[in-house]
Amino acid sequence: MEYNGCNRFKIDCAKCCGLCCTALYFAKSEGFPQNKAAGVPCQHLCVDFKCEIHDELSSRKMKGCLAYDCFGAGQWVTQHVFKGADWRQADKALMFDVFIKAVQLHQMLWYLSAANDLLKDLKLMKEIDGYIDEIVEVLNESAVQLAACDVEKLRHRVNQRLKQACDSISCQACGKHIIGHDAPGRNFKKADLSGHDYSMCLLMAADLRGCRLTMTNFLGADLRDTDIRGTDLSHSCFLTQGQINAARGNAQTKLPANLSMPAAWLNETV
Ligand code: SF4
Ligand code: SF4
């Protein structure tokens, strides 16, 4: 299997074996159905690895389940690393370790690819290409090698380049680097936040309706319940599917082309 193609980061749960629903620890207080230890399947995971309450996740307010996104790591681990075996057939401890590493590697790839789509600094783009190649090489290693990979060390180096990329992209957008701040619950009153850098900021339950968000950087920002109903984020930067799934949008919200509209938004009004 080639590690290429425009859908490489889109989750494909039909090609996975419920890895997130099994390998990960989760807590009821974070919008999951139960407190669960890592390595234990969720009580709602069926034998065919489908979720028995999939259609009720929204009405049951399972925000943790709804927001979770593995950046395509689940199907990569199942189909590519373990050649179609599921965790019942494979060495499950190894498979779960590999999955946890693969999610982090896929997340890094997502951000690096997004940076290269936006950057104009050719030197920085070349450096980022080097990191992308390095990560893809790691992802193509054996399960044992992947599980032993020092992701934290790699992440430290990647984060330095991403920081440079964020500064550069912000300057490209508005001529200077405007740093945003934590603003949970704040009503931004349709402000022009174009080019602002809200990376890693807390924006839970903030009201961004009607704001201008061209080249606004949301890398790692906490967008849980952030109100983006009817808002145009089609040219915002570094948004992930997980952030979008956790936010409050509607059918009129405009998203970047690589992200999908959560089904629950279709019933939301402005
Ligand atoms: S790990 Fe990813 S692909 Fe697998 S079930 Fe979870 S979200 Fe779907
Ligand atoms: S409720 Fe469904 S989606 Fe959520 S963890 Fe359990 S099986 Fe997975």
Side-chain angles (χ1 to χ4, degrees):
M1 187 191 292
E2 290 291 318
Y3 194 78
N4 269 321
C6 57
N7 286 328
R8 66 187 181 186
F9 300 112
K10 289 230 185 263
I11 62 169
D12 188 349
C13 303
K15 290 187 176 157
C16 181
C17 52
L19 282 170
C20 59
C21 310
T22 309
L24 305 179
Y25 149 87
F26 50 62
K28 196 168 181 180
S29 60
E30 290 169 6
F32 291 97
Q34 61 187 122
N35 294 329
K36 185 188 83 60
V40 178
C42 169
Q43 62 186 353
H44 297 297
L45 188 66
C46 302
V47 285
D48 60 358
F49 304 114
K50 287 183 180 155
C51 170
E52 69 171 354
I53 58 166
H54 179 76
D55 294 338
E56 300 161 33
L57 290 175
S58 193
S59 60
R60 290 189 184 214
K61 303 201 184 318
M62 299 289 172
K63 292 188 175 183
C65 299
L66 288 165
Y68 184 77
D69 188 280
C70 70
F71 296 91
Q75 69 260 24
W76 175 261
V77 170
T78 307
Q79 299 300 328
H80 180 83
V81 185
F82 286 85
K83 315 290 182 214
D86 62 58
W87 51 265
R88 295 194 195 106
Q89 302 158 329
D91 174 341
K92 70 177 179 184
L94 177 63
M95 193 171 197
F96 297 157
D97 281 352
V98 168
F99 170 65
I100 288 163
K101 296 276 170 87
V103 173
Q104 297 174 74
L105 293 166
H106 276 237
Q107 185 187 42
M108 283 187 247
L109 275 181
W110 169 277
Y111 285 131
L112 290 167
S113 303
N116 260 4
D117 285 347
L118 297 163
L119 277 168
K120 291 182 180 156
D121 179 332
L122 293 179
K123 184 168 173 281
L124 193 49
M125 287 169 78
K126 205 170 167 200
E127 286 174 4
I128 285 178
D129 273 339
Y131 279 109
I132 290 174
D133 290 346
E134 184 178 341
I135 294 172
V136 170
E137 207 170 301
V138 175
L139 280 164
N140 276 298
E141 287 179 340
S142 70
V144 173
Q145 287 170 311
L146 244 171
C149 156
D150 189 344
V151 173
E152 281 316 308
K153 203 165 159 188
L154 185 55
R155 183 194 294 284
H156 181 69
R157 289 192 288 133
V158 165
N159 281 352
Q160 286 177 328
R161 284 295 165 276
L162 282 175
K163 172 83 179 65
Q164 276 180 288
C166 286
D167 294 354
S168 181
I169 289 163
S170 183
C171 288
Q172 280 170 208
C174 54
K176 55 185 174 179
H177 187 194
I178 304 173
I179 299 176
H181 301 284
D182 292 343
R186 177 174 163 190
N187 184 345
F188 280 87
K189 297 183 179 168
K190 303 185 180 179
D192 184 355
L193 306 175
S194 298
H196 289 215
D197 182 354
Y198 280 99
S199 52
M200 307 311 290
C201 285
L202 302 178
L203 297 174
M204 300 99 73
D207 188 345
L208 290 175
R209 284 177 299 169
C211 289
R212 288 186 63 185
L213 301 169
T214 302
M215 299 293 273
T216 305
N217 179 358
F218 289 108
L219 191 151
D222 190 335
L223 300 184
R224 282 175 293 166
D225 290 325
T226 304
D227 198 341
I228 50 172
R229 287 174 295 163
T231 305
D232 186 355
L233 294 112
S234 55
H235 298 291
S236 302
C237 314
F238 295 113
L239 280 168
T240 66
Q241 191 65 51
Q243 286 171 306
I244 292 303
N245 293 349
R248 185 178 181 197
N250 66 3
Q252 283 70 48
T253 304
K254 291 184 183 161
L255 298 175
N258 58 348
L259 299 180
S260 308
M261 181 170 289
W265 286 13
L266 301 175
N267 303 322
E268 284 276 350
T269 50
V270 181

